Amino acid sequence: MAPRIADMSQDFEASLCLPSNKALSSASSNSSCSSYTEARHLAVVGIMFTAQTLLGVGGVPIQPFGISYIDDFSHNSNSPLYLGVLFAVTMMGPGMAYGLGSLMLRLYVDIDRMPEGGINLTSKDPRWVGAWWLGFLISAGAVALAAIPYFFFPKEMPKEKQELRFRRKGLEVSDLPVSKGEDSSSEQSPADSPEKKDNLAQIAPDLTVIQFIKVFPRVLLRTLRHPIFLLVVLSQVCMSSMAAGMATFLPKFLERQFSITASYANLLIGCLTIPLAIVGIVVGGILVKRLRLGPLHCGTLCLLGALCCLILSTPLFFMGCSSHQVAGISHQPGAQPGLELFPGCMESCSCPSDDFNPVCDSSTRVEYITPCHAGCTSRVVQEVPDKSQVLYNNCSCVAGGGPVSAGSCDSACSHLVLPFMILVSLGAALASVTHTPSFMLILRGVKKEDKTLAVGIQFMLMRVLAWMPSPVIHGSAIDTTCVYWAQSCGRRAVCRYYDHDLLRNRFIGLQFFFKTGSLACFALILAILRQQDKEERTKATKPNPGLQQQLLASEAKKEPEESRV
C-alpha cells in the first residue's frame, strides 16, 4: 500500500511547475516505454475476439433459431405476442448490463491495490478508469446458470392446440385474411394439399452437411430475390446501425457533452432508454396481435414508427453547448494544437508534454492541461465532509495567482442531459415498435421451408452490415472532432478534448442518417405491399370462366331433380 501512496504524491509533485520536473518526467517516460510490448496487447485483443465469438455462437439457439421455433409451434395470432415478449426480455439484458456497469464503474479499476484512505482521483476526473472487467465476471456466471434449463427441454415441442382449431376454422370461413406463401396452404387439409406435403417433406428429414451446402446457394438466392425480405433486412440494418452506434458511444457522448460521470451516463441509459425500448417492443407485438394486422398494416405501423422516431431526433442537434476554453489548445479540428498561448508565464517551468492532470479556473472557466501549464507551484488539500478537494495555488498564468481546482471544468449545459435523454428514449421506444411487425413481414412473406434459413440470413446480414461496421463508422466520425490528442511513447493515444459542436452534429447526424435510411426502406415496403394488394383485388374481381362453367353445370344437374319432385 505504501508504494502506491508514494507514487500518487510523486505524480502530484510532477504536475507542479518545478524546474526538476523535466528530468523526472523523461526518466519515467523512458522506463514506461521500454517495458511497452506490442505482443502483450495483441494477445489481450485475441482473447477478447475469442470471447465475443463464443458469445455469438451461444446466442444462436435463442436468436435467430428461437424466432423460427416459436413461430412454428405457436398459433398464428399468438406468434407476434410471443416474439414481442422474446425481444423485450432480450432487451432487458442490456438494461441490466448498463445498471451493473454503472455500479462497477464507481469502483477503481485496480480494486485490489486501492490505498487505505482512498485514492485522490474521483469518478469525475477524466483520468478515472472504472472496474470495467468486474461486470464480465458477474455476467458470465449468470449466463452459465441461465443455460442449465436448456438441458431439460424436449426434443420436439408440442404444437399449440389453438393452431389446429384455427386451421379447421379457416376451411369454413373463406373471407379470413391470409398471408401469401404460408397461410394460403393452411386453408387446405393435409390430405388434399400436395404442396403442403412437399413442404413438410422438405422440413422433416435432417439434411447432412453436404446436402445443406448444396441446397444453401439456391435457397439463399431465392430468399434474397424476395423484395419484401430484402427491404425489411435493409431497414433493420439501418436500425441496428443506429442502435450499435448509440449503445457503444452514447455514454462517452454524454460524458463529454454534459460533463457527467461514466457511472451516471450508464445509469441514465439503463433506467430510461432500455425500459422504454422494451415497452416499445411489447406494444408493437400487442398491436399486431390484438388488431390482427396483416402485411399491409404491419408495413404502415413500421413506417409511422420510423417517421415519429426521425421527428423526435431533430431537436437533439440543438441540445448542447460549445466547448469551454482550454489554455493553449486551438479548437480548429485537424490542426495540431500547441501550448504557446501563455509562453511568458511558464518560462521557469519544465512541463512534460505527455502529462495530463487538468485543473479549472472557475472564475474565468478556463481549463489547463496540468497545474504546471497554469504555472502553479504549490498544492493544498481541503477536507470536506464527503470528499477531499485538491487546490493549486501560486499560479503565474492565472489572474490573481489562483487558486484553481483539480479536474475539468463542468459543462454550461449540464441541465440539458435529462431532456436530451428523454427525447432519445422516446425515439428508441418508437423505433422499437417496428421490431415485431418487421419480423412478421419476414415470417409471413417467405416460404415455410425457408423460414429458419431466412431468419438466419437476416441475422447474419445484420451482424455483418450493421453491428460490425457501425461502431467503426461512429468511432471514426467522433475521432474527426478531436482537437487535442495525448501522446504515449511517441504514438497518438487517447483524445483529451473534443469540439463539442462538431461532436454533437456528427454523432446525431449519423443517427439521423440511419433513421432516414430505415424510413425510406419502410416506405418502399409499403408501396410494394399496396401494389400487391391492388393486384390481388383486381384478380378477385375478374370473372373466372372455369368457375362460371362449374356453376352452370351444377345448376343443370339440379333442374331435372327439381322437375321430378
Side-chain angles (χ1 to χ4, degrees):
M1 297 297 180
R4 181 70 176 172
I5 300 175
D7 293 341
M8 188 62 63
S9 62
Q10 187 179 19
D11 176 66
F12 278 110
E13 291 295 331
S15 297
L16 295 176
C17 177
L18 298 174
S20 60
N21 279 0
K22 187 172 183 179
L24 181 62
S25 64
S26 61
S28 61
S29 177
N30 292 333
S31 61
S32 61
C33 290
S34 62
S35 60
Y36 177 87
T37 55
E38 190 74 20
R40 185 180 303 174
H41 290 77
L42 290 177
V44 173
V45 172
I47 293 174
M48 293 294 292
F49 281 166
T50 305
Q52 292 293 329
T53 302
L54 294 175
L55 186 63
V57 172
V60 167
I62 302 175
Q63 292 185 12
F65 291 162
I67 297 173
S68 178
Y69 188 81
I70 289 174
D71 191 64
D72 285 338
F73 296 101
S74 64
H75 184 273
N76 285 344
S77 63
N78 293 336
S79 179
L81 180 62
Y82 295 157
L83 292 179
V85 172
L86 172 65
F87 296 142
V89 174
T90 305
M91 284 293 295
M92 291 175 61
M96 297 172 63
Y98 277 112
L100 180 63
S102 176
L103 296 176
M104 297 300 103
L105 291 177
R106 296 180 183 180
L107 304 175
Y108 193 61
V109 61
D110 296 329
I111 58 175
D112 59 332
R113 292 186 292 173
M114 189 176 295
E116 295 180 358
I119 59 176
N120 290 320
L121 294 178
T122 63
S123 59
K124 295 192 67 174
D125 196 295
R127 297 173 297 171
W128 176 272
V129 179
W132 58 269
W133 53 271
L134 196 56
F136 282 96
L137 297 180
I138 299 175
S139 301
V143 168
L145 292 176
I148 295 177
Y150 281 93
F151 291 100
F152 303 98
F153 272 70
K155 293 182 178 180
E156 185 176 353
M157 184 73 70
K159 289 188 178 182
E160 220 170 10
K161 293 182 179 180
Q162 290 182 347
E163 186 176 2
L164 298 176
R165 295 172 187 167
F166 177 79
R167 289 186 175 180
R168 293 195 192 100
K169 187 177 180 181
L171 293 173
E172 303 171 0
V173 183
S174 60
D175 57 347
L176 283 177
V178 294
S179 59
K180 296 179 62 179
E182 176 192 355
D183 293 341
S184 59
S185 62
S186 65
E187 293 185 357
Q188 302 177 359
S189 62
D192 299 334
S193 176
E195 183 181 355
K196 183 80 173 185
K197 288 183 178 180
D198 294 340
N199 291 347
L200 293 175
Q202 293 177 17
I203 301 172
D206 295 330
L207 295 177
T208 63
V209 177
I210 298 177
Q211 291 174 339
F212 176 77
I213 293 175
K214 291 180 179 180
V215 174
F216 179 76
R218 186 175 58 205
V219 178
L220 177 62
L221 289 176
R222 183 172 61 194
T223 306
L224 293 179
R225 287 165 59 185
H226 197 292
I228 299 298
F229 173 81
L230 192 59
L231 287 172
V232 170
V233 169
L234 288 178
S235 66
Q236 291 187 343
V237 164
C238 292
M239 283 291 185
S240 299
S241 299
M242 175 199 70
M246 189 75 73
T248 308
F249 292 105
L250 182 59
K252 180 184 181 72
F253 176 84
L254 296 176
E255 291 178 53
R256 297 292 182 172
Q257 193 71 225
F258 302 107
S259 297
I260 62 176
T261 62
S263 174
Y264 185 51
N266 284 313
L267 185 64
L268 287 176
I269 298 173
C271 293
L272 282 178
T273 308
I274 302 298
L276 284 179
I278 294 174
V279 171
I281 292 176
V282 174
V283 168
I286 292 176
L287 288 176
V288 176
K289 173 180 169 54
R290 299 294 294 178
L291 302 179
R292 297 183 180 274
L293 300 181
L296 183 62
H297 293 93
C298 282
T300 305
L301 180 61
C302 292
L303 182 65
L304 290 177
L307 179 61
C308 295
C309 177
L310 187 67
I311 293 174
L312 282 178
S313 63
T314 304
L316 300 180
F317 285 100
F318 311 100
M319 301 182 68
C321 51
S322 302
S323 305
H324 55 266
Q325 183 180 357
V326 181
I329 293 179
S330 173
H331 291 287
Q332 297 298 326
Q336 184 65 28
L339 302 173
E340 301 86 7
L341 190 60
F342 304 105
C345 60
M346 295 187 299
E347 287 182 353
S348 59
C349 305
S350 300
C351 301
S353 59
D354 57 350
D355 195 10
F356 184 69
N357 182 18
V359 293
C360 178
D361 182 7
S362 57
S363 60
T364 58
R365 291 189 55 81
V366 176
E367 184 172 329
Y368 301 87
I369 300 176
T370 64
C372 180
H373 291 91
C376 302
T377 58
S378 61
R379 178 176 66 93
V380 177
V381 179
Q382 290 185 350
E383 296 294 337
V384 293
D386 294 335
K387 60 181 180 179
S388 59
Q389 184 178 7
V390 180
L391 299 175
Y392 294 90
N393 297 319
N394 301 326
C395 305
S396 58
C397 299
V398 179
V404 293
S405 58
S408 297
C409 296
D410 292 333
S411 174
C413 52
S414 299
H415 59 283
L416 294 178
V417 62
L418 284 179
F420 183 91
M421 286 303 301
I422 290 174
L423 285 178
V424 169
S425 303
L426 290 177
L430 291 171
S432 300
V433 171
T434 68
H435 200 65
T436 302
S438 62
F439 269 95
M440 298 310 300
L441 288 174
I442 293 178
L443 296 176
R444 297 293 180 262
V446 300
K447 293 184 177 181
K448 188 166 186 177
E449 64 267 23
D450 299 341
K451 188 189 302 181
T452 302
L453 187 58
V455 177
I457 294 172
Q458 174 197 11
F459 271 81
M460 179 191 70
L461 293 176
M462 287 171 58
R463 296 291 193 274
V464 174
L465 300 179
W467 290 97
M468 289 176 62
S470 179
V472 178
I473 295 172
H474 280 80
S476 300
I478 291 175
D479 284 346
T480 59
T481 66
C482 183
V483 295
Y484 179 72
W485 289 94
Q487 299 292 324
S488 177
C489 301
R491 303 182 182 184
R492 195 178 74 172
V494 64
C495 180
R496 297 299 189 188
Y497 295 104
Y498 294 91
D499 187 324
H500 289 180
D501 291 331
L502 279 178
L503 175 64
R504 182 175 63 256
N505 291 333
R506 294 183 182 178
F507 181 73
I508 303 300
L510 271 177
Q511 298 285 308
F512 195 88
F513 171 77
F514 288 122
K515 293 175 184 177
T516 305
S518 180
L519 179 65
C521 290
F522 283 131
L524 291 175
I525 291 171
L526 188 60
I528 294 175
L529 290 174
R530 283 184 175 179
Q531 183 65 26
Q532 291 178 353
D533 185 66
K534 185 177 179 181
E535 292 176 357
E536 289 178 359
R537 290 182 180 179
T538 304
K539 291 180 181 179
T541 55
K542 283 184 179 181
N544 191 344
L547 182 60
Q548 289 181 356
Q549 292 177 1
Q550 293 177 3
L551 291 175
L552 292 174
S554 62
E555 290 176 359
K557 291 179 180 179
K558 290 179 180 180
E559 287 178 357
E561 295 177 359
E562 293 175 356
S563 62
R564 283 196 297 269
V565 174

